[in-house]
Amino acid sequence: MRYFITGASGWIGSAVSRELIAAGHRVSGLARSDASAEAMASFGADVVRGSLTDPDVLRDAASAADGVVHLAFTHDFNDFETASAINQAAVEAIASALEGSGKTLAIASGVAGLVQGRPATENDAGERPVLRQATERYVLALAGRGIRPLSLRFAPTVHGTGGDHGFIKTIAQIARQHGVSGYIGDGSARWAAVHRDDAAHLARLALESSEPGGVVHAVGEEGVPTKVIAEAVGARLGVPTASIAAEDAVEHFDWIGRFFGQDFSATSDITRARYGWEPTHPTLLEDIAAGGYDVPRADAA
C-alpha cells in the first residue's frame, strides 16, 4: 500500500512513516522545507513539496495514494482558531480527492478535553466547536461519502528520547528556567501518555485493519499525576519541586499553564481489544529518568 502522510518528518509522523516502511508499505510525505524533505528521504519516504495551505498539492497526493494519514498541524497555541481553520481546510481538500474511493483517511486528534471528571473513552465525542474535535466529527461523518475514516486520538504526551519538543519538554524547560519543577495546585490532575513507537505501531495496525474505521485511542498509560511528572523532571534536572497556585499558573508556565492543571486522562481498552495492541516501550517516567527531557543549564559550558 502507498500512504500519503502530512507531518511525515515530525515527532509522531517520522515514527509512523518508519513503521509503515518497515512493514513493506510505501510512504510519500508532505514537506514544506528542505530540512523536512531531507529528513524524509533519509528514512526512505518519497517527498511531496508543499504545505497545508496548498489544496491542489494535497488533492493530487491524496489521489495518488491508497490511504492518507494527516498528522501535520500548525501548533500556534496563541491562535488556535486560525490553526484549526487551516487544518479543517486541508482535511476538506484531502477528502474531496478520496470521496467514493473507499480509501482510508486517518487524522491526528487527541484525548485531551473530551470529558471532565473521568478518563475519556473511545465512545466519548468531544462537543467543543473549535480545535481538532470539530475536524474529527467532520472526518468520522465521511463514512457516508465512501471514505474509511480513522481518528487517531493521541495522548497529550507522546513521549520518547531523542527529539520530542512537546509538552513535557516545555515543562522541563520551564523548570530549568525557574529553578523549580512546578505542578499546579495539589498536582492530582492526570495526563495520559504513550510512547511514540507504541503509537506508531498502533497507527499501522489500524491502517491495515479490515475494521470499518472510527476512533482509536493511542494511550499507553491512563493518567500520570502532574505532581509525579514534576517530581520526575525535578529529580532528573536536580531542581526542587513545588506547587504553583492556579491563579499564578499562566505567569509561571506561560501558555502551557492553561493546560497543565487540567485532567487529561483516558483509557484505550476498546482500542486494545479491537486491534490486539499492547504497549511495550518505556513509560513516561522511565523516559524522563533516562534523560529524554534533559535541558542544560544556561551557564553550562
Side-chain angles (χ1 to χ4, degrees), residues 1-34:
M1 299 283 282
R2 181 187 180 101
Y3 290 99
F4 170 54
I5 302 181
T6 70
S9 64
W11 175 245
I12 299 174
S14 60
V16 173
S17 297
R18 288 187 175 96
E19 174 82 17
L20 289 170
I21 291 169
H25 300 288
R26 188 172 178 181
V27 169
S28 60
L30 185 69
R32 64 177 181 177
S33 69
D34 291 341

Side-chain angles (χ1 to χ4, degrees), residues 194-255:
V194 66
H195 192 282
R196 74 162 179 160
D197 290 339
D198 287 321
H201 182 58
L202 173 60
R204 177 173 69 81
L205 292 178
L207 288 166
E208 293 177 339
S209 173
S210 60
E211 292 279 339
V215 173
V216 178
H217 272 202
V219 173
E221 296 177 85
E222 179 176 307
V224 185
T226 52
K227 181 179 180 180
V228 174
I229 294 173
E231 289 172 340
V233 170
R236 179 66 194 184
L237 298 184
V239 300
T241 305
S243 171
I244 307 299
E247 58 269 25
D248 298 326
V250 174
E251 180 181 355
H252 181 87
F253 291 102
D254 197 21
W255 61 267

Side-chain angles (χ1 to χ4, degrees), residues 274-288:
R274 181 178 296 155
Y275 299 110
W277 175 68
E278 286 297 332
T280 60
H281 290 83
T283 65
L284 172 60
L285 298 184
E286 288 170 343
D287 272 342
I288 293 173

